[in-house]
């Protein structure tokens, strides 16, 4: 069984997730640590739970979701894994972060890119990849089918959806990827988004104002 720990980090209030199972293996998803106390909070949790991080995943490569990639690499020698279509988004960050007054420690680039469909594994657990472009060009969600939850990134939020006015964003594409690739999941599948509170597929199918 996969356990999940949420942290909310950085000036964008981004949700960072640590998934772990009974083997102690862990996956760190969208590490958004920006301030030293946020880095310490993550390390403290991993030490206290005696976890061994085996995977570093990014749903997509906007700044707020990759702030902590370098820190994870320095501490656990993990390079990030994401879809190749996000590399251009990652590489653009040094060009805009300073203008926003933000310091950014350069993320390592992947050795392994993730496909649109497939699975990633850590410990005794597997996550299925779901391709949900639109907020960014090659955004992935991570579905823990047996445990009934989805790490949703910035695709689907509680009563909202990801913004599509950033480079590579496409509103119609986001709507159709949510309908075709997320709304086929079970109603009771819990969505843990990149910002804000968790929700379920069934609730959003019924109440999300962007998808009626
Ligand atoms: Zn984003
Ligand atoms: Zn975000």
């Amino acid at each position: 069984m996969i356990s999940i720990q949420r942290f909310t980090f950085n000036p964008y209030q981004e949700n960072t997730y640590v998934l772990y199972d009974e083997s102690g293996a862990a996956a760190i998803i969208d590490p958004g640590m920006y301030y030293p106390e946020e880095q310490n909070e993550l390390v403290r949790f991993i030490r206290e739970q005696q976890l061994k991080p085996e995977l570093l995943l990014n749903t997509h490569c906007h700044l707020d979701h990759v702030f902590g990639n370098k820190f994870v690499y320095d501490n656990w020698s993990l390079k990030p894994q994401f879809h190749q279509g996000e590399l251009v988004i990652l590489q653009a960050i040094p060009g805009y972060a300073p203008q926003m007054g933000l310091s950014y420690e350069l993320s390592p680039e992947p050795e392994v890119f993730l496909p649109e469909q497939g699975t990633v594994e850590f410990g005794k657990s597997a996550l299925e990849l779901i391709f949900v472009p639109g907020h960014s060009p090659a955004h992935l969600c991570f579905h823990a089918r047996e445990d009934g939850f989805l790490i949703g990134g910035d695709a689907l939020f509680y009563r909202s959806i990801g913004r599509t006015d950033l480079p590579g964003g496409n509103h119609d594409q986001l709507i159709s990827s949510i309908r075709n690739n997320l709304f086929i999941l079970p109603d009771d599948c819990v969505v843990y988004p990149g910002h804000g509170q968790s929700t379920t597929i069934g609730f959003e199918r019924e109440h999300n104002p962007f998808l009626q």
Side-chain angles (χ1 to χ4, degrees):
M1 200 190 99
I2 301 176
S3 300
I4 179 164
Q5 177 75 20
R6 178 174 72 174
F7 303 87
T8 302
F9 287 151
N10 75 51
Y12 296 92
Q13 297 285 291
E14 181 265 359
N15 293 329
T16 294
Y17 295 98
V18 174
L19 275 46
Y20 57 102
D21 68 15
E22 55 280 2
S23 76
I28 300 172
I29 307 182
D30 288 353
M33 300 83 76
Y34 182 72
Y35 302 106
E37 58 265 33
E38 295 173 343
Q39 297 171 339
N40 292 341
E41 190 181 345
L42 182 88
V43 169
R44 203 180 313 123
F45 177 78
I46 285 172
R47 284 207 189 125
E48 280 171 4
Q49 300 292 322
Q50 299 184 304
L51 302 180
K52 183 183 182 309
E54 291 185 352
L55 267 183
L56 167 56
L57 303 173
N58 295 115
T59 57
H60 67 298
C61 291
H62 286 149
L63 177 63
D64 50 327
H65 296 253
V66 304
F67 267 131
N69 276 13
K70 174 71 160 52
F71 182 82
V72 171
Y73 176 70
D74 287 346
N75 281 272
W76 298 287
S77 303
L78 297 172
K79 291 193 176 176
Q81 298 185 18
F82 50 76
H83 190 285
Q84 188 156 17
E86 290 292 320
L87 187 58
V88 59
I89 304 297
L90 185 78
Q91 290 171 338
I93 294 174
Y96 70 78
Q99 299 162 23
M100 303 173 76
L102 295 164
S103 62
Y104 166 65
E105 283 204 273
L106 200 63
S107 168
E109 293 190 359
E111 270 166 17
V112 175
F113 287 106
L114 301 177
E116 291 183 16
Q117 292 180 316
T119 57
V120 288
E121 294 175 9
F122 65 97
K124 296 173 178 166
S125 305
L127 301 170
E128 294 177 23
L129 308 176
I130 302 180
F131 193 58
V132 190
H135 168 71
S136 64
H139 185 295
L140 288 169
C141 296
F142 303 105
H143 183 212
R145 184 177 293 275
E146 283 178 29
D147 296 279
F149 71 84
L150 180 85
I151 302 298
D154 287 357
L156 181 65
F157 297 130
Y158 172 71
R159 291 183 177 272
S160 188
I161 57 172
R163 58 190 287 188
T164 52
D165 57 336
L166 299 169
N170 181 320
H171 181 79
D172 293 342
Q173 185 186 41
L174 178 59
I175 295 293
S176 65
S177 9
I178 292 172
R179 279 194 206 290
N180 298 331
N181 300 342
L182 295 185
F183 279 4
I184 56 171
L185 300 176
D187 276 352
D188 60 357
C189 177
V190 178
V191 179
Y192 292 101
H195 302 270
Q197 68 178 81
S198 57
T199 183
T200 65
I201 292 291
F203 181 88
E204 297 308 321
R205 198 191 283 115
E206 196 142 320
H207 300 292
N208 193 302
F210 295 92
L211 290 148
Q212 298 307 308

